[in-house]
């Protein structure tokens, strides 16, 4: 063998040998530990053992051979976690806890993970380079129920409930679902159309049952058929499905915290007890072929209990690729930070702050070196920026934060802080946003944001860019958003929800609006297809630079218009505005741009579009 | 106040104050710890805390205010127990573990204890002076199922199953029940008559499905209706209920071990995963108003998975008062010891012994000072007695036992030992033995035994006195049994079971019978009512002194006779026999006494009874 050939072959040989070696040593099957898929036995203890073994491996691959794996609370780790936008409870149950792990792949190979009672299917804590692949996450007895509307009269509705999936009792005249270790009263319903699987138009948060029905009386006609007696102000249609909301938002489907480089691939989340995949204080997240949809193997009309992908106070890059969302009971995607309120300035260079929303408390909100924005509360303008020296929690709601430099005197009690370091770049593409409760994408991050090649059939706004320091305390102001090549179909805006002022709604809550100090930065809406049946396509408030260009707006006649806003485009307190290259097809409603507190001077409006200005 | 009056009142005052004091301090309600009855939440953790607190009290009363309490495996103590006549499994789940406790009353006040998955509802270990009162023990998804027979043809049977209570799947053509953490294939059935609730005559262990049907094929007609395809040799009747036996015998309902003075009062055991109340190596047990019956609040046709009260290797006094047994899948009462086999004589004064039955191993079989009987294996005669010096377990099956005195040379390998110290007195009275699988009472103890004022509707023998050292290894020989004033009704002996040779069957398994060396001692059967429809009223084998006196035998015409034994009374290898004062009413079958290896000489047989001798 010549020396040259040797040089060429040696690395190849090393590579082959090392692949074989690591493959043989680092792959662990749950069945190797004695678990029998389909046995219905509790897999939790086996997973605990498997994950402990994975810690001794360099590149562990934990394989769940295809089959059914049941998870029960027994042997589940119970951890004290403050989870963003989630009820505070003493301990979260974590049957699959990936903690302090590196380079792990959990490869479920299409296995069914069947959960029981209230729990958090997968938890990733303090870990790095983790891939979760191929699991179907569901419950036999889910934490949401459904009922077919069998009969409707002026004073009652008869519902058929699958008692195998959602056993219930009638307790003091109320419909109360009873699961594995819990009892949970019904408190709301969402109506889905039998044929289209869409949220029935003009229901959503307007209530398919016409508002407060808490005085109802439930009667059992036979087990599985319940009569709900009440003079409902609105009544659902016979044959439609009611998703019966009950239970609390107490566990995420997957919880990612203090972790980095986390990939979800071909993961089906059919049910959760809260947010689908909740990531907080983590860096670089990839969601590829994640489906939050009703389990297609079951006659299910609902998916998870709340949001799909919820990204709170993360950084690095967030990519959502080829994901699907359908029949969620809250927004499919929400990316945001958490702003906090200044309570006191106890000593120079130190602020006492408070978490304002009861579901978002207890975070390690800032770290040494983080950049913090000081925000004036009324105008939401930036007073200054500071760099963190130290962070000290006081209790779940309060913390003290110290800065390297002096704090501007202008910052007052009641003003807000936003952490600019924990603000990711976002790329959401090639995904489908079906008919869910609420909106499609909520995004509030100063990081570069691209939303492209998606299809939206949201029942509210397709995209909401909010940001506030007064109600939800979800920061922050965007600086660079590109929304292009998306298809906004006509189900968008068929039902009313908070802040849904257009198919794209830019709605920061700024108490004192001034177009000269806009809250949001640059937003480009380019080359999209819109299919509105109603007036509002775009509503934009307090944006420094908004452009709506090269979009095609095609009127749909499928639904009756009802929105109070009677303009196609609305700019409120915006600074730089551009409308050009847009095309309208059919009897598009409004064909106008309404300016509120927005100067017409300096606006770029291409004439040949036929869009008139309404001031 | 005079000194005398003072002396009289002072103790009274002290008593009142101490009663008030202990009452106030020692009563702990589970609700005081925050548990909400009916919430469906897991009560196990709350009970753990409550029992820990009880340990700090002198006379604790743990109250479960009336309501529903759910018990799940999470937080249940898991203990390594060798349980008599029960499968050996690594750990038993003990959600209510009373361990090392004294003077405790658990007062459930009629509460429903609802268990989930496989577990042992109550465990009493190493405790003294314990009372368990007022609980209803049941499962929502029981470990036995039932099915109504909907249709019967030559090649199939259609069954209706309540899928809420007994969810199932069809797996590889087999009917497999799926519960909370388990999957369990159906393996046998018991047929109960729709109208009488009796085990259908001539089924029992003769099989209501005509024997081996393991080649059956299950087909689902609709969820809840299953067709069992097989050319059954016997077919059940349409409308009757089949109790579908599945699952293992892995946990007792209540397990009592190494304890003393234990009382059960008004306890309803509606379901178990094994023996109902299993007591072993304990002293003085009282069962008062214990009911092992199908839950009357549900359409249940079965009670527990196996026996009712199982007393193994206990001592002191056992009292069963006003208890009820119905639809158990094994004997209502079984009191016995465990005989062991001599494997080797390794050193002088020492024997190596073995537990012979795989479900009865691992016991601390003897203690210092216990009296042991050495038994010759073939004749089952006593070789000698010895006193224990020490006991040393070797493994679950083997132990070494040392004696104070020398071991008789006559004792050979293959002979047996019986522990005469762990042999209680038994008093069973005023109880009802309904239609269960197998027999009514099994009793094998040298202690004085009185069975009086009971009603028997057993489907096999009402009373079986066995004792063997060759198959079940359940010792021991009785010495003094009185059976009086009982009512043996006509369902007795309607189905065949092992050793059921008469309504009262005395059937020790003695390989080499000799009436001169009888196994059992004195048995008196006096003043009872018998209602036989078939021949065998009494079968007695190897009894030293048996008398059958002052009984009334009234023929029932309700069922067709079928038993192979065509004599009313049979004595085999008995020594002293007395038959007097008995009265026969109606067309009593046989009206005879069959003597097998039993001398007619010396038999007391009152002539005017009209009972003839058949040799």
């Amino acid at each position: 063998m010549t020396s040259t050939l040797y040089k060429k072959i040696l690395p190849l040989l090393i590579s082959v040998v090392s692949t074989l070696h690591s493959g043989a040593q680092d792959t662990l099957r749950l069945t190797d530990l004695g678990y029998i898929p389909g046995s219905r036995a509790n897999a939790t203890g086996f997973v605990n053992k498997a994950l402990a073994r994975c810690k001794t491996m360099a590149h562990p691959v934990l394989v769940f051979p295809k089959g059914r794996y049941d998870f029960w609370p027994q042997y589940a780790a119970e951890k004290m976690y403050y989870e963003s936008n989630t009820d505070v409870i003493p301990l979260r149950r974590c049957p699959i806890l990936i903690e302090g792990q590196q380079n792990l792949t959990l490869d479920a190979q299409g296995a069914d993970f069947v959960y029981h009672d209230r729990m958090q299917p997968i938890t990733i804590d303090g870990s790095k380079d983790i891939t979760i692949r191929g699991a179907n996450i569901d419950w036999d007895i889910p934490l949401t129920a459904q009922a077919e509307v069998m009969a409707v009269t002026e004073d009652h509705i008869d519902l058929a409930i699958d008692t195998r999936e959602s056993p219930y009792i009638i307790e003091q005249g109320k419909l109360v679902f009873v699961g594995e270790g819990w009892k949970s009263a019904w408190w709301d319903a969402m109506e889905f159309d039998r044929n289209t699987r869409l949220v029935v138009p003009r229901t959503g948060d307007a209530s398919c049952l016409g508002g407060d029905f808490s005085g109802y009386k439930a009667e059992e006609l036979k087990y599985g058929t319940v009569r709900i007696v009440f003079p409902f102000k609105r009544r659902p249609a016979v044959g439609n499905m009611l998703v019966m909301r009950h239970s609390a938002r107490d566990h995420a489907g997957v919880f990612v915290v203090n972790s980095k480089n986390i990939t979800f691939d071909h993961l089906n989340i059919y049910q959760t007890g809260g947010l689908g995949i909740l990531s907080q204080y983590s860096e670089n997240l990839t969601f590829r072929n994640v489906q939050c949809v009703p389990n297609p193997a079951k006659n299910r009309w609902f998916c998870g209990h709340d949001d799909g992908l919820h990204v709170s106070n993360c950084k690095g890059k967030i990519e959502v690729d080829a994901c699907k969302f359908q029949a969620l009971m809250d927004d499919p995607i929400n990316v945001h930070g958490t702003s906090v309120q200044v309570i006191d300035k106890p000593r120079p260079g130190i602020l006492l702050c408070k978490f304002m929303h009861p579901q978002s408390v207890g975070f390690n909100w800032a770290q040494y070196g983080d950049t913090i924005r000081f925000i004036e509360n009324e105008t939401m303008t930036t007073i200054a920026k500071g760099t963190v020296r130290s962070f000290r929690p006081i209790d779940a709601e309060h913390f003290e934060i110290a800065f390297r430099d002096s704090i501007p005197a202008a910052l007052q009690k009641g003003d807000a802080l936003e952490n600019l370091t924990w603000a990711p770049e976002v790329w959401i593409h090639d995904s489908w946003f079906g008919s869910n409760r609420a909106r499609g994408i909520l995004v509030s991050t100063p990081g570069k944001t691209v939303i492209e090649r998606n299809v939206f059939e949201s029942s509210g706004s397709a995209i909401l860019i909010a940001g506030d320091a007064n109600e939800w305390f979800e920061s922050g102001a965007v600086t660079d958003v590109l929304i292009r090549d998306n298809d906004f179909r006509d189900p968008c805006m068929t039902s009313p929800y908070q802040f849904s002022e257009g198919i794209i709604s830019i709605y920061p809550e700024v108490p004192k609006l001034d177009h000269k100090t806009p809250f949001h930065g640059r937003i480009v809406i380019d080359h999209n297809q819109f299919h509105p049946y109603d007036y509002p396509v775009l509503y934009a408030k307090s944006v420094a630079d908004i452009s709506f260009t090269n979009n095609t707006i095609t009127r749909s006649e499928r639904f009756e218009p009802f929105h109070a806003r009677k303009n196609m485009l609305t700019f409120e307190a915006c600074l730089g505005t551009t409308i050009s290259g847009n095309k309208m097809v059919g009897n598009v409603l409004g064909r106008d741009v309404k300016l509120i507190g927005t100067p017409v001077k300096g606006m770029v409006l291409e004439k040949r579009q036929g869009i008139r200005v309404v001031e």
Side-chain angles (χ1 to χ4, degrees), chain A:
Chain A
M1 197 183 278
T2 66
S3 159
T4 316
L5 185 60
Y6 203 77
K7 271 184 193 153
K8 277 183 183 162
I9 285 178
L10 188 62
L12 193 70
L13 275 171
I14 289 170
S15 155
V16 167
V17 169
S18 105
T19 303
L20 284 171
H21 185 72
S22 78
Q25 195 170 40
D26 288 357
T27 293
L28 178 64
R29 285 169 200 82
L30 205 69
T31 46
D32 295 341
L33 283 89
Y35 188 80
I36 302 166
S39 65
R40 308 270 173 148
N42 184 9
T44 304
F46 294 85
V47 172
N48 288 344
K49 275 183 207 151
L51 285 171
R53 271 202 214 171
C54 286
K55 285 216 176 168
T56 66
M57 301 171 176
H59 290 84
V61 180
L62 177 56
V63 171
F64 291 72
K66 195 167 178 172
R68 176 185 165 118
Y69 296 78
D70 283 84
F71 294 89
W72 294 87
Q74 195 189 22
Y75 308 131
E78 294 186 297
K79 300 278 290 182
M80 213 288 279
Y81 284 127
Y82 286 106
E83 299 191 358
S84 188
N85 296 63
T86 299
D87 295 342
V88 175
I89 60 170
L91 294 168
R92 319 266 178 193
R93 293 176 183 160
C94 309
I96 301 180
L97 175 62
I98 297 165
E99 194 176 20
Q101 179 78 51
Q102 293 204 4
N103 301 318
L104 171 74
T105 297
L106 188 161
D107 187 357
Q109 305 195 331
D112 293 317
F113 286 9
V114 181
Y115 293 85
H116 301 271
D117 202 338
R118 299 180 191 276
M119 51 167 68
Q120 189 155 280
I122 299 174
T123 305
I124 302 170
D125 180 358
S127 295
K128 204 176 147 189
D129 300 307
I130 307 293
T131 297
I132 308 291
R133 178 185 295 142
N136 301 315
I137 291 175
D138 203 355
W139 266 250
D140 273 352
I141 297 182
L143 304 162
T144 303
Q146 66 186 32
E148 187 177 344
V149 180
M150 304 305 285
V152 175
T153 73
E154 289 210 346
D155 71 351
H156 72 254
I157 298 169
D158 293 343
L159 300 176
I161 297 167
D162 179 345
T163 59
R164 181 169 32 149
E165 183 165 284
S166 291
Y168 66 84
I169 56 175
I170 307 292
E171 197 171 62
Q172 296 178 319
K174 298 302 175 191
L175 175 59
V176 180
F177 293 95
V178 287
E180 297 155 316
W182 51 262
K183 182 172 80 172
S184 176
W186 170 53
W187 49 260
D188 200 7
M190 286 289 292
E191 183 183 356
F192 284 81
D193 185 282
R194 159 67 67 183
N195 301 308
T196 62
R197 285 197 166 249
L198 297 175
V199 172
V200 170
R202 299 173 74 165
T203 63
D205 280 0
S207 177
C208 65
L209 297 178
D212 180 27
F213 55 88
S214 55
Y216 81 90
K217 192 166 169 4
E219 296 169 4
E220 187 162 68
L221 303 186
K222 64 175 185 179
Y223 192 63
T225 307
V226 177
R227 174 162 293 174
I228 309 290
V229 180
F230 191 75
F232 294 101
K233 292 211 185 82
R234 185 194 175 279
R235 288 180 285 274
V238 170
N240 278 355
M241 294 299 289
L242 292 189
V243 173
M244 308 291 278
R245 303 180 74 193
H246 66 84
S247 160
R249 183 191 281 204
D250 53 16
H251 289 87
V254 181
F255 180 52
V256 183
V257 62
N258 302 328
S259 294
K260 190 173 176 180
N261 306 337
I262 311 298
T263 300
F264 299 95
D265 185 21
H266 284 91
L267 187 67
N268 295 321
I269 301 180
Y270 296 134
Q271 168 66 182
T272 63
L275 306 170
I277 302 180
L278 164 62
S279 307
Q280 68 192 39
Y281 294 96
S282 294
E283 185 176 353
N284 301 334
L285 308 169
T286 305
F287 305 92
R288 190 165 288 131
N289 285 296
V290 172
Q291 298 200 39
C292 298
V293 299
N295 190 335
K298 301 182 175 187
N299 175 35
R300 285 269 181 90
W301 286 70
F302 57 85
C303 175
H305 193 272
D306 301 290
D307 292 9
L309 311 179
H310 196 106
V311 178
S312 169
N313 299 287
C314 287
K315 67 181 181 184
K317 290 177 191 296
I318 312 294
E319 183 183 354
V320 177
D321 173 14
C323 294
K324 289 190 178 178
F325 307 91
Q326 164 78 359
L328 286 160
M329 289 300 109
D330 215 335
D331 308 301
I333 297 181
N334 188 351
V335 182
H336 68 90
T338 300
S339 60
V340 297
Q341 201 169 75
V342 176
I343 296 297
D344 201 1
K345 300 164 81 172
R347 295 179 299 285
I350 291 178
L351 295 174
L352 174 67
C353 298
K354 186 179 180 187
F355 294 107
M356 298 304 289
H357 193 274
Q359 283 182 321
S360 291
V361 300
F363 303 148
N364 284 317
W365 187 80
Q367 300 174 12
Y368 174 85
D370 284 0
T371 302
I372 305 298
R373 186 158 82 99
F374 302 128
I375 305 169
E376 194 282 316
N377 191 47
E378 294 283 296
T379 60
M380 304 254 300
T381 51
T382 304
I383 294 166
K385 292 179 185 173
T387 305
V388 177
R389 205 185 64 219
S390 68
F391 174 87
R392 189 171 70 87
I394 291 170
D395 56 28
E397 287 188 344
H398 299 88
F399 61 83
E400 273 190 4
I401 185 165
F403 293 89
R404 282 194 201 158
D405 316 298
S406 64
I407 295 161
L411 190 76
Q412 298 297 317
K413 295 178 195 179
D415 286 343
L417 305 191
E418 179 186 343
N419 190 332
L420 294 176
T421 300
W422 291 90
E425 292 187 14
V426 176
W427 182 25
I428 300 170
H429 61 98
D430 300 293
S431 293
W432 177 67
F433 298 82
S435 196
N436 299 280
R437 183 180 159 265
R439 293 70 45 120
I441 297 170
L442 272 65
V443 63
S444 312
T445 174
K448 181 179 164 68
T449 299
V450 178
I451 299 172
E452 59 182 343
R453 298 189 305 273
N454 303 290
V455 173
F456 292 90
E457 299 185 343
S458 313
S459 70
S461 286
I463 298 171
L464 169 62
I465 298 174
D468 79 291
N470 292 284
E471 186 185 351
W472 295 98
F473 290 85
E474 295 185 2
S475 62
V478 303
T479 63
D480 184 4
V481 176
L482 173 59
I483 299 171
R484 72 174 165 208
D485 295 328
N486 299 288
D487 185 359
F488 298 93
R489 296 191 178 157
D490 55 0
C492 292
M493 296 291 287
T494 44
S495 277
Y497 301 98
Q498 194 183 31
F499 310 139
S500 286
E501 295 296 324
I503 295 171
I504 297 173
S505 184
I506 297 148
Y507 201 107
E509 285 180 281
V510 182
K512 276 193 185 166
L513 280 171
D514 182 349
H515 76 271
K516 288 179 207 129
T517 57
F519 181 73
H520 285 301
R522 177 178 150 85
I523 298 174
V524 174
I525 302 164
D526 185 55
H527 252 292
N528 299 284
Q529 297 284 338
F530 291 90
H531 300 269
Y533 73 93
D534 204 343
Y535 287 83
V537 171
L538 169 66
Y539 173 86
K541 188 204 285 187
S542 199
V543 186
D545 178 2
I546 176 128
S547 70
F548 186 85
T549 54
N550 307 311
N551 300 292
T552 302
I553 304 171
T554 306
R555 172 75 193 280
S556 163
E557 309 269 358
R558 193 174 174 199
F559 309 104
E560 278 290 302
F562 77 100
H563 203 282
R565 192 169 295 284
K566 302 298 183 197
N567 303 100
M568 187 176 79
L569 310 176
T570 303
F571 296 142
E572 183 168 0
C574 290
L575 193 55
T577 54
T578 301
I579 303 171
S580 72
N582 298 296
K583 202 168 68 180
M584 287 176 285
V585 180
N587 180 28
V588 174
L589 294 169
R591 292 172 171 260
D592 58 355
V593 53
K594 167 88 172 175
L595 301 181
I596 305 164
T598 298
V600 70
K601 193 184 158 195
M603 181 168 100
V604 178
L605 177 63
E606 195 188 23
K607 275 224 170 128
R608 64 179 177 97
Q609 300 172 110
I611 296 173
R612 70 199 165 89
V613 176
V614 182
E615 278 187 279

